[in-house]
Amino acid sequence: MLPIFVIIPLGAAFLISLLGKKIKILSDLLANLGTLGLLIFSLYSVPVALAHKILVYKIGGWMPPIGICMVLDGLTSFMLVTVNLVSFLVTVYSINYMEKYTDKYRFYTLFMLMLAGMNGIIVTGDLFNLFVFLEIASIASYALVAFGTEAEELEASFKYAVMGSVASSFILLGIALLYSYTSTLNMADIAFVLSSKPNSAIIAFITVLFLAGFALKAALVPFHAWLADAHPSAPASISAMLSGVLIKVLGVYALIRIFFSLIGINNTILSILMFLGGLSMLAAVILALAQWDFKRLLAYHSISQIGYVILGIGLGTPLGILGGLFHLFNHSIFKSLLFLNSGAVVYSLGTRDLQKMGGLREKMPVTGNTSLVASMSIAGIPPFNGFFSKFIIILACIQAGRFGYAFCAVIGSILTLASFMKVQKYAFFGKLNQNLQHIKEVPWAMRLSMIALAVICVVSGLLIVPKFSPFLQSAVDILLLGNGYKDLVFGALK
Amino acid sequence: MSVYILCFILFCIGLYAVLRKRNIIKIVIGLGIIEYAVNLFFVLVGYRTHGRAPILAKDQVILNMVDPIPQALVLTSIVIGLAVTALIVAIAIRLFEKYGTFDITKIRRLKG
């Protein structure tokens, strides 16, 4: 079942690029059917992962230390559901939204390639394979950021491509060093070899290389400069994908998979992660307060919320990891909803400047109400999902005795609330501008996906009640196992 | 050992070009140098002195052979590098059409 997650998007990308130019409707149809199929398979993978604990697929029938394998465990199925849920709703949204660009089929081709890369990163059990998928996803995203080919978009894409390639080189250098030290590329085998060798200075060097590379991909604060340009410049549906899932899969997932399952976590790495998380949380939200560009403001909030995720995971306690992963899921839902809202505003008004909006709720009730739900989620107002995950993270900070970080998290949350009150006040409430009388609500497909995301925002708070919690808990268990990951994989192979 | 140090110096030269140069084309060349340094390092990792290709023939015993895996990996990595370079050069050409300059300090409409 596992290769399906890579085969479907790759095949769809191939067919769309081949046939999409001649038959216009086919590209919409294929992309939506493809992502719907992926969503169904990823939901199906959750009970399978719960029942079997771990599944290993051997590509071509070769035994893993020699051949490449794909691994399905709790963390994998959790990430697959997150990615494919968001990507399905984004393709539904794109049916109408991408009409204003020419060459829609090229957009879908790149989109599917990016999705193939992300799913590949999640399911693979081989380190170099992870690098290849990471590059597929990155190259597709560089091209997608430049999709409008206006001056600003090209500039942002150039910056993003340069930073991204440097990050990839760091990661490749880390992989080369790790290979020379352990002479294997299989993740479980690397963990096995490393656990039998004494700790040496080269591991510290590899750690630094991976940390720099993946933190650049995840846009943690000292490495964040490209994100605020790249994410707002892309078409709104791509901004939703980039901020919603790409930085999480390329950055956070790869980082925690390598540090927890391969190299083995220790207190130094955890405190570096916590520091980076806390720093991004506060610095980015302060930068966000000063923004007047709707999408740029959202991009800065992405950095800040990734800070929460990294802080939660960096605590290293069961509760902290639970909070971090839960916030990762919630953030992918509400941040993609906010980006889709901003896309709807651009679609109707043609501007992203908050000062030129006002009173849009009257004319665009669906966009206005869904963005209110998303804003309250991201700011952490009680009935919505963002509240639960932030609350768990703060609670975990206090439980671990890190009162300073708990205080930072509360401050960050208050500043987030302030900046989203600004968005709501200037864009959606207030008096309608005279020259905006003619605007209309967006078409049905865009409305449909925004409403679906808003509903998920409300109900996904339920993920922590005992009936649904195995979904999250199995992901947390994999991380808590740490080095035990290798025993699980080798156990499944026998 | 000195090969590894030279390889590392090559990496640093590339990094310097990316960080310090103002011309976009020079930045792209810097990226290329970084890539080559990493690829070179990868091949060096698998190299044994006087080693030969590990091809099994009937009446031969090879005692000293190079590790073939890094070579296969480097091929993949070169292809990836080609894709990245092609894309970045294409973006650079479009940037020149829009701004009329290759100077990165003059290409800054995005800020804040």
Side-chain angles (χ1 to χ4, degrees):
Chain A
M1 182 184 91
L2 273 174
I4 282 177
F5 290 109
V6 183
I7 291 170
I8 290 180
L10 268 185
F14 176 71
L15 286 177
I16 291 168
S17 65
L18 199 67
L19 306 169
K21 197 173 183 184
K22 304 212 176 63
I23 315 161
K24 286 272 184 279
I25 189 81
L26 194 76
S27 54
D28 278 333
L29 200 67
L30 266 176
N32 279 292
L33 281 179
T35 45
L36 179 64
L38 283 172
L39 176 62
I40 292 167
F41 276 114
S42 61
L43 287 175
Y44 171 68
S45 82
V46 175
V48 172
L50 280 180
H52 291 82
K53 273 273 193 208
I54 196 156
L55 277 183
V56 181
Y57 175 84
K58 300 183 276 285
I59 295 177
W62 294 88
M63 275 308 275
I66 296 164
I68 295 172
C69 65
M70 289 178 168
V71 180
L72 178 75
D73 57 22
L75 184 60
T76 310
S77 66
F78 168 75
M79 291 301 296
L80 280 174
V81 170
T82 312
V83 169
N84 293 311
L85 181 65
V86 172
S87 66
F88 170 61
L89 291 168
V90 165
T91 41
V92 170
Y93 182 89
S94 306
I95 297 175
N96 287 136
Y97 181 77
M98 292 307 291
E99 283 299 327
K100 63 175 185 166
Y101 292 91
T102 52
D103 283 349
K104 206 173 166 190
Y105 74 98
R106 289 217 175 93
F107 163 79
Y108 279 125
T109 310
L110 287 169
F111 184 93
M112 285 315 217
L113 278 177
M114 189 167 87
L115 193 55
M118 284 193 286
N119 280 339
I121 291 172
I122 296 171
V123 295
T124 189
D126 184 275
L127 200 54
F128 193 76
N129 208 231
L130 185 140
F131 174 74
V132 173
F133 281 126
L134 186 121
E135 282 294 283
I136 294 175
S138 306
I139 295 173
S141 68
Y142 305 151
L144 280 168
V145 168
F147 198 74
T149 60
E150 293 300 319
E152 287 88 358
E153 285 146 4
L154 290 167
E155 185 189 334
S157 172
F158 185 78
K159 259 186 207 174
Y160 178 28
V162 170
M163 299 289 258
S165 322
V166 172
S168 304
S169 301
F170 278 132
I171 293 167
L172 186 59
L173 193 58
I175 292 173
L177 280 168
L178 204 53
Y179 176 75
S180 74
Y181 190 58
T182 61
S183 34
T184 174
L185 283 166
N186 186 282
M187 287 191 191
D189 208 26
I190 289 177
F192 178 69
V193 174
L194 280 183
S195 63
S196 62
K197 284 196 179 193
N199 213 349
S200 76
I202 196 161
I203 293 297
F205 188 48
I206 293 168
T207 307
V208 170
L209 285 173
F210 278 141
L211 204 58
F214 289 120
L216 253 167
K217 296 269 181 200
L220 292 172
V221 149
F223 311 101
H224 69 287
W226 58 270
L227 186 139
D229 291 334
H231 287 196
S233 300
S237 40
I238 290 309
S239 308
M241 280 299 277
L242 292 180
S243 265
V245 288
L246 190 93
I247 51 174
K248 301 200 181 76
V249 175
L250 262 61
V252 178
Y253 171 80
L255 191 76
I256 58 179
R257 176 63 93 190
I258 285 179
F259 281 140
F260 278 81
S261 302
L262 261 70
I263 296 181
I265 203 80
N266 57 37
N267 279 334
T268 323
I269 301 177
L270 283 179
S271 48
I272 292 173
L273 285 182
M274 266 193 293
F275 178 73
L276 286 177
L279 190 67
S280 356
M281 204 163 68
L282 280 181
V285 81
I286 290 167
L287 286 168
L289 276 173
Q291 299 301 322
W292 284 103
D293 182 330
F294 194 174
K295 287 175 81 175
R296 209 175 169 80
L297 185 145
L298 295 179
Y300 275 115
H301 276 293
S302 288
I303 306 172
S304 158
Q305 303 296 317
I306 284 293
Y308 275 96
V309 175
I310 291 289
L311 173 66
I313 291 168
L315 282 170
T317 57
L319 195 64
I321 295 175
L322 176 76
L325 289 179
F326 190 29
H327 198 65
L328 187 152
F329 179 80
N330 291 341
H331 178 251
S332 70
I333 301 295
F334 56 63
K335 185 46 66 70
S336 39
L337 175 53
L338 279 166
F339 267 115
L340 297 187
N341 288 143
S342 76
V345 171
V346 173
Y347 186 87
S348 295
L349 267 71
T351 178
R352 303 191 324 220
D353 192 341
L354 285 173
Q355 281 161 319
K356 289 184 186 143
M357 300 172 193
L360 296 180
R361 268 173 83 82
E362 290 171 35
K363 293 284 180 181
M364 304 166 74
V366 175
T367 313
N369 288 324
T370 50
S371 87
L372 189 63
V373 170
S375 301
M376 291 206 280
S377 301
I378 195 172
I381 307 285
F384 299 102
N385 57 8
F387 165 74
F388 295 105
S389 49
K390 280 190 182 178
F391 186 63
I392 293 174
I393 291 174
I394 294 168
L395 214 60
C397 282
I398 293 171
Q399 193 196 37
R402 307 271 180 182
F403 296 106
Y405 285 118
F407 184 67
C408 288
V410 174
I411 295 285
S413 190
I414 292 169
L415 290 176
T416 310
L417 180 63
S419 84
F420 277 94
M421 283 189 19
K422 171 174 140 185
V423 170
Q424 290 297 325
K425 176 172 177 289
Y426 280 94
F428 295 106
F429 286 88
K431 234 172 64 216
L432 191 66
N433 240 327
Q434 278 309 310
N435 48 0
L436 294 179
Q437 292 294 347
H438 60 281
I439 58 161
K440 289 195 291 284
E441 181 59 287
V442 292
W444 65 271
M446 289 164 76
R447 281 204 303 259
L448 181 72
S449 72
M450 287 193 289
I451 292 171
L453 279 168
V455 171
I456 298 169
C457 263
V458 180
V459 298
S460 68
L462 292 176
L463 278 177
I464 43 168
V465 299
K467 189 165 171 12
F468 300 107
S469 65
F471 173 59
L472 267 168
Q473 197 57 47
S474 61
V476 176
D477 288 342
I478 292 294
L479 288 183
L480 285 177
L481 264 179
N483 233 340
Y485 167 78
K486 64 175 190 295
D487 303 326
L488 266 184
V489 173
F490 284 129
L493 285 173
K494 295 233 170 71
Chain B
M1 193 62 205
S2 63
V3 216
Y4 293 102
I5 293 172
L6 286 174
C7 193
F8 190 68
I9 291 173
L10 192 64
F11 186 83
C12 291
I13 291 173
L15 211 54
Y16 171 80
V18 171
L19 294 174
R20 288 290 297 162
K21 289 294 163 191
R22 292 167 60 170
N23 191 320
I24 344 182
I25 299 299
K26 286 183 184 165
I27 293 177
V28 176
I29 293 172
L31 280 179
I33 294 174
I34 293 184
E35 236 158 57
Y36 293 145
V38 175
N39 289 345
L40 189 62
F41 179 75
F42 225 140
V43 173
L44 279 177
V45 159
Y47 183 71
R48 303 282 174 277
T49 323
H50 306 300
R52 45 168 297 187
I55 300 167
L56 289 180
K58 253 183 195 159
D59 45 354
Q60 274 183 338
V61 185
I62 308 171
L63 292 173
N64 193 7
M65 56 184 176
V66 295
D67 187 354
I69 292 178
Q71 299 174 1
L73 301 184
V74 161
L75 270 182
T76 318
S77 146
I78 288 172
V79 174
I80 291 170
L82 173 74
V84 174
T85 313
L87 183 71
I88 296 186
V89 169
I91 292 171
I93 293 171
R94 297 297 281 270
L95 266 178
F96 184 74
E97 281 171 13
K98 299 280 178 194
Y99 289 85
T101 173
F102 278 127
D103 190 344
I104 196 82
T105 51
K106 295 204 176 84
I107 303 175
R108 43 182 312 121
R109 244 176 250 180
L110 293 166
K111 49 178 174 284

